[in-house]
Every structure is written in structure tokens, then in C-alpha cells.
Amino acid sequence: MTSSVSLLFGVHAHQPIGNFPEVVIDAHERCYKPFLQTLYRYPEFRFAIHFSGWLLDFLFEHYPQDMALLREMVTRGQIEIFGAGDTEPVLAAIPERDRIGQLKTFSTKLKKKLGQPPQGAWLTERVWESTIVPALVNCGIRYVIVDDYHFICAGKNKTELDGYFTTEEDHHTLDLFPISEALRYRLPFSPAPEAIAYIESLIDQTTTEHQPAAVYFDDIEKFGIWPETYQWVYEHGWLEKFIQGVLASPHIQLQHYRDYHASEKTRGIVYLPTTSYIEMNEWTLPAEPAHIYDDLVQQAKSTGQYEQTRSFLRGGMWKNFFSRYPESNWMHKRMLDLSARYASLPTRQRTSAMQQCLYASQANDAYWHGLFGGLYLPHLRRTVYNNLIELEALLDQCTPRSTSYREDTDLDGTEEIYLQNGAVQAVLKLNNRASICELDSYPLKHNFADTLARQTEHYYRKIQPDLQGTSSHQQSGIASAHDRVSFKHAISQADLEPDLYAQHLFIDHLNDELLDYQLQHPSDQADEVIFQAMTDFGSINKCFRITGNQLLVSYVCSGEASGHMQTEINLAMPSCDGPGGRYIRNHTVLSGFGQPIELDDLTAITLEDDTLGGSLSLEITPATKLHASPHFTVSQSEGGFEKIMQAVKLTLTWKVVDGQQQHITLHFDEMNTAA
């Protein structure tokens, strides 16, 4: 029997494209810099690291000295660099041609910046589908790491998972390393001696003559950014204690993945199911199924059956996020359409700017939500749309689109009508709401309809007034963010009430009842779209038209009119409740977007936004009453439960008068031309 265990230690460093610079700077100061500087002092401590492409570019630009340190550690053989898609996409969620392009782009970047092309690859969120194998193999990747949970779901026993296995797809073979869940939860949260003792204990668990491996690869942000970890890892010395303990152990052999892969044979063939890590499989489920799943897991744990049954308690799959969140699905399907348009261009017309926009729009973070803010963070979705809109404008210069056309973009069974003139694009949902689901200004590269509806989340049942400000952790070491119950903001029950409909633009009520519309003018060549709602007293016609950098919306009521009408306009303003956004009327600043306002007899108002670099002005004839308020959602993050402003909700109210026309104009301006 072997007397040692090979420790394959790896960390993954990532920041979302579009994250706030101050957040990345803080992450560098509290994590990336001290981690590298600590490891640099121990050249014999070998490890693997993966930086996502955008983060690597940021660090090279802003911290060249630290990156010189990184390169030296690569050169002296201390670090093995892992590849991935350049913008950290979920490979299973993008087309095959883009998988190959993303992988090759990042491998080329690693070779240029660090002098080492990768043999191994990090899988974003460890999302596994066998369809990704050919792209990885064709790009020179020989092995990837996924969770041991993936293998357990395929029928493997934990004691078997001390080396790598081989899989294949369409005659492409790829080797797979199983990341130890037990190590993921111990490092860096358990005291260093306990973590080292656990690694040493794996020697006694091996059942073969192979050299056993303890496989660890997880987020580097756990080493300084997660709550309490900076003090624990650096100020209290956990990392140095761990390094010194590993190096002093006669039973732990530090190896690179590439060296272990070269010296050991595969443990055999394996075919993994479509899955991700175990927490993700809960996050992908809607609230009610997630409750059931979580209850089953807790029941299995309480009866001591969890380890035997968890491979059959699998939860959902990552792509469920597209069916859970219509907003995520819409972004994804828009991205797929633009990817196809880009791919259909003759090679000579494709530009690096187009490719960069496409790849940036495929960054995973804005498409899903779990422990981290993800989809709930407006600035991450905004970055996706910035790139989609810029890409669409570039493609339109090469292959102009019709100014009006219909399709079912998001595959929900309801078509949309696109109206666009190169400056403005309005996408109208052809359901009975007759609302705008996307409203783009091409000069501003912004989608003003990029809002998010409130829906019930599984973790809402943790939000109780008596728990606010507490933590559930009572063990030695420090708590993982997975085990915490903490609050960044006070949350009320009213904050958790789900929205009754999508937070689109121009959702209409008559006497507090939602109006049901039918399309009246469906011509693909029309420069306007007209809907009609039938009421007890007559009809209401609603017309959309774009001209120049304006959207024109008008209403005409006919019949025995009475009561009042309201339209709700949900606007994604980048500054949200920050200091850069403000309401302006008659050259006077009224307030920021985070404060509610009431105005009577409104004929004009401007929403000016520094982050946007422009403004949106409303002109209304005849005058209406305005109620404006922030629209918040509640989500969880590694820092606790929080309220996030998603939109400015403008509600215009006017008295219904037979035959009277109500006109609302939205005018988009860049800041240097804004009034």
C-alpha cells in the first residue's frame, strides 16, 4: 500500500465582466495579492490557478508587479495554469463554434501573458454536459476538473475517487478529475491542522495500488473575500500554517495536475450525467420544488441516509435558470441569435470588436442566481446588454435588418414585433399586455427595459424578523457563506411579495383593472404597431411608433368613457438609487431615483443618469399625474440578504375622455446633447 497522498491544490479566480472597479480592487487587496505573495515565499508549494480572462487583463493593467510575480512563479515551475472560455461562459450554454473560439482565445492569451499554454481547463460553475467534450479536446485540453458529486451521481463510490477517469463523446476522449467536496468545505474554514489531518487520512481510504490523489480546486475568493476569511486566512495565519503543515507532512506529496496525469493511469471509463455542484442543483429549481428538494435532503441527513441517497436527490440542471427567469432566457436567446448572425457573415466582414462583444455577452454571471447576486445585479445584466446592443449595431452595418419584423425570440410561444431604425429599437410582446419587453438606444448602448420582476425564492423561508443580523454557525473555525444567515438590509414581508406580471414598459390599467389588448396592425412593413382593447364602454387604441431617437406612444379612447387610466413604465436606469441619477423638471433637480415623487399636471420630465452617460426625457400631452418610485427585489449574496433597486417605476394617470388622444414621447439623448 502507498504511504503518501498526492495533493493536487488549485484555485479559481474570477470577477464578472462589468463588476465595479472598486470591488475588483478590494478583491485584489484582500485576496489575490496576499495569496500570491504568501505562496511566493514557498516555492516548493506547487499549485494550479485559473484566472478568468477579463480579470487577468484587469490585473495585468493595474497591478503589473503582482502579475510579474505570478509569471515568475509559472516560470520556476511552482504554478500550473488552467484554461477555460475567455469570458468565463458556461460552455454548455453557448454554441459549439463559440466554445472553440472562447477556449482558443484564452489559451492564446495565457501563452502570451504567462508563457504557458494550458493542458487542463476549469469548467465554469462545474456545469457538465457531455456535448462540451469535442470542443475541449479540439482546443488541446487534456483534462478538466468537476465535483466528486458528478461521479457519485454516475454510480461511483467515494473510495474510488482518488485519481482521474476518462470519458468520451463522439470519439473525443477527455480525462476528468473529481474535486473533493469534503476538502471544499474544509479549506480554508477548518483549522489548518484539522484540514491537513484529513488529507493524510485519505491514505488509509485508498483501495488500490495507485498513488491516491486529494483533489482540491475551488474559488480563491474563499481565501480573503468571503466574510471573516481575510482575518482568518492572513491575519490569523491560516494559509501559512496550512502551507507549512503540508510541506512538513511526510505523507503529503504536492504535485501539479499535469505531473500526476502524466505519471498515473486512468481509473477507467466514466460517463457523467448532466449536472453541476450540489448547491447549484438546488438553486436552479423554482421555490416550491426547491422546498421539496431541500426537505428531502434534510430528512435524509437527519436519518443518516444522506450519503447513501444523495446521488438520487439530484435537483435541477443549470439551464433551468432560463425557464426560471424569463429575463435570463431573453438575454440568452438574444445572444444566440446574434451569435448566429455573426457566424453567417463572410470571414472578411467579421471584426475583433464584434467577437469581443459576442464573447463578453456570453459571460455566465448575469444569467443565473444562487448564493451570489448574479442575475439580480443590474450592472451585470447591463454589461451583457451593452455588448449585445453594440454587436447588433455592428452587424446591422454589414447586413441591415428590416425596420419591422416578427419572431418568437425567447421560444415562449408568443411572438414579438421588432421596430428599429438604427437609433432606437422597441420590442413589443404580442400578448394581451401589449407592452415593451426591450427598449434599446443604440448610441447609449443601453436597454431601458432591462428590469427584473420579483419572484419567490426558496431561501425566502430563511428570512424571519428574529433571525435578522444572526449567523447559524456554531462550530470551530469560521462559517462558510453557505451556512450563514445574515442581513445587509432590513427585509419586510411586503418586500418579498412577487410581482403579478413582468416589469415591462406601458402596462395599462383602466379603473385599476389590467387591460387586455389584441394586435390590430400586424404588417411587417408598417412603421407603427397598433393594439386595441375592448371595454364595457367602448375601445382603447394604443399605438407605438419610433422616429429618430424617440419612441412615440399614443392612446385613443372611444365610447362612453369614465374613470381614469394608468400606464406603468418600468425603466432600467443604471444609477438606480446611487448618486448619479436624478429627476429634472424645468431645469430643477427634484430628487434621486431612489426617492418616490408625486407630480400633478406633468407635461415633461427628464431622467438624467451619469452612469448611462445620457438621459431619457418624457413629454406628455395633455398633462398627467405622475407617481414615481423605486422598484426593489430581495436576493441573497455571500454578504447576506439584500434589497437591490431594479428599476424606476413611473405611473402616469389621466382621466378618460371620449375621443381624446393621450401622447407620451420618450426621447433619448447622450449627455453632451441632453437638455
Side-chain angles (χ1 to χ4, degrees), residues 287-530:
E288 287 303 319
H291 293 338
I292 297 170
Y293 172 75
D294 185 48
D295 290 343
L296 287 171
V297 169
Q298 297 308 318
Q299 180 182 356
K301 288 181 176 179
S302 67
T303 59
Q305 296 179 319
Y306 180 62
E307 286 303 316
Q308 291 74 37
T309 62
R310 68 175 184 153
S311 63
F312 307 106
L313 299 174
R314 198 170 299 173
M317 55 181 282
W318 190 87
K319 285 183 179 177
N320 282 359
F321 288 115
F322 299 144
S323 55
R324 273 199 65 195
Y325 298 104
E327 298 89 349
S328 173
N329 184 51
W330 181 262
M331 282 193 305
H332 180 252
K333 301 310 180 286
R334 288 278 279 133
M335 177 273 292
L336 291 181
D337 283 351
L338 292 174
S339 173
R341 283 188 65 192
Y342 171 73
S344 69
L345 284 180
T347 304
R348 67 181 184 279
Q349 289 187 301
R350 299 178 201 168
T351 66
S352 60
M354 291 178 185
Q355 184 186 81
Q356 289 169 13
C357 288
L358 174 61
Y359 289 176
S361 75
Q362 295 172 339
N364 80 91
D365 308 272
Y367 288 98
W368 66 281
H369 169 65
L371 176 62
F372 308 97
L375 175 72
Y376 273 82
L377 300 178
H379 64 285
L380 299 187
R381 300 196 312 271
R382 184 165 68 248
T383 299
V384 170
Y385 277 115
N386 290 162
N387 285 281
L388 289 176
I389 293 166
E390 182 176 355
L391 173 59
E392 190 162 58
L394 293 171
L395 292 171
D396 285 348
Q397 293 174 13
C398 297
T399 56
R401 290 176 294 155
S402 170
T403 57
S404 176
Y405 59 95
R406 293 172 60 167
E407 66 178 30
D408 181 7
T409 299
D410 53 354
L411 308 179
D412 67 347
T414 299
E415 286 190 317
E416 297 84 32
I417 288 184
Y418 285 70
L419 292 177
Q420 64 87 20
N421 63 3
V424 174
Q425 175 166 261
V427 185
L428 311 172
K429 200 75 177 171
L430 293 184
N431 55 21
N432 54 2
R433 297 284 84 84
S435 59
I436 293 178
C437 63
E438 182 172 338
L439 180 60
D440 304 318
S441 166
Y442 287 102
L444 294 171
K445 302 176 185 177
H446 183 68
N447 172 18
F448 287 91
D450 174 24
T451 60
L452 188 71
R454 286 189 301 210
Q455 62 170 273
T456 301
E457 296 286 359
H458 162 61
Y459 51 77
Y460 281 5
R461 63 181 183 176
K462 295 181 181 178
I463 300 178
Q464 302 172 24
D466 58 330
L467 288 178
Q468 300 203 17
T470 68
S471 173
S472 61
H473 182 70
Q474 297 178 347
Q475 301 176 359
S476 63
I478 60 171
S480 164
H482 295 284
D483 300 323
R484 293 174 178 273
V485 177
S486 58
F487 292 80
K488 296 176 71 173
H489 305 125
I491 309 296
S492 70
Q493 190 59 42
D495 295 324
L496 306 180
E497 292 298 322
D499 289 317
L500 300 177
Y501 44 79
Q503 298 298 287
H504 291 166
L505 287 81
F506 298 99
I507 301 168
D508 303 331
H509 292 75
L510 179 65
N511 297 327
D512 299 324
E513 295 290 331
L514 271 171
L515 283 172
D516 290 336
Y517 287 96
Q518 298 295 322
L519 179 66
Q520 294 298 296
H521 289 255
S523 170
D524 287 348
Q525 301 304 314
D527 62 355
E528 64 181 17
V529 180
I530 299 176

Side-chain angles (χ1 to χ4, degrees), residues 24-212:
V24 186
I25 292 169
D26 179 68
H28 176 258
E29 291 301 317
R30 291 196 293 132
C31 182
Y32 310 142
K33 179 179 180 178
F35 186 90
L36 289 175
Q37 289 183 342
T38 301
L39 269 294
Y40 182 79
R41 296 196 295 271
Y42 297 91
E44 63 272 34
F45 191 95
R46 298 177 180 176
F47 67 102
I49 196 166
H50 164 251
F51 284 94
S52 55
W54 180 83
L55 175 59
L56 193 66
D57 292 338
F58 183 95
L59 295 176
F60 264 91
E61 179 182 354
H62 294 88
Y63 302 102
Q65 290 183 327
D66 292 324
M67 292 300 97
L69 206 69
L70 174 66
R71 187 180 180 102
E72 182 181 343
M73 295 165 79
V74 172
T75 301
R76 73 188 186 188
Q78 184 179 2
I79 290 179
E80 177 182 359
I81 296 294
F82 266 61
D86 186 47
T87 63
E88 200 72 6
V90 170
L91 293 178
I94 64 176
E96 173 80 358
R97 60 181 176 269
D98 295 336
R99 294 172 192 163
I100 293 172
Q102 287 259 16
L103 288 162
K104 286 185 175 180
T105 295
F106 190 53
S107 292
T108 300
K109 180 180 294 184
L110 292 176
K111 174 67 174 174
K112 179 180 179 181
K113 289 183 178 292
L114 296 172
Q116 185 185 105
Q119 296 183 41
W122 168 263
L123 284 186
T124 300
E125 302 304 326
R126 282 101 78 194
V127 176
W128 175 263
E129 287 188 11
S130 60
T131 55
I132 68 177
V133 171
L136 288 160
V137 174
N138 289 332
C139 292
I141 299 300
R142 301 179 63 191
Y143 45 86
V144 299
I145 57 254
V146 294
D147 281 14
D148 56 6
Y149 174 73
H150 294 56
F151 291 80
I152 292 169
C153 289
K156 293 294 181 183
N157 188 286
K158 260 189 176 181
T159 59
E160 300 176 76
L161 304 180
D162 60 356
Y164 67 86
F165 292 76
T166 300
T167 194
E168 64 80 29
E169 178 75 10
D170 194 21
H171 203 57
H172 295 80
T173 60
L174 183 71
D175 292 330
L176 309 172
F177 282 91
I179 304 169
S180 167
E181 181 185 279
L183 275 180
R184 282 204 302 119
Y185 276 82
R186 281 176 168 84
L187 306 184
F189 307 106
S190 297
E194 292 183 16
I196 293 167
Y198 174 78
I199 296 170
E200 292 176 331
S201 73
L202 298 177
I203 299 171
D204 300 327
Q205 299 179 26
T206 185
T207 58
T208 71
E209 294 299 322
H210 295 286
Q211 172 70 10

Side-chain angles (χ1 to χ4, degrees), residues 572-587:
M573 302 303 296
S575 290
C576 294
D577 51 352
R582 50 203 164 268
Y583 296 105
I584 299 175
R585 186 187 190 192
N586 296 329
H587 305 289

Side-chain angles (χ1 to χ4, degrees), residues 256-274:
H256 285 313
Y257 281 84
R258 62 179 179 237
D259 295 332
Y260 185 90
H261 184 259
S263 63
E264 292 293 321
K265 293 182 179 180
T266 179
R267 300 295 199 266
I269 191 74
V270 69
Y271 292 92
L272 304 181
T274 296

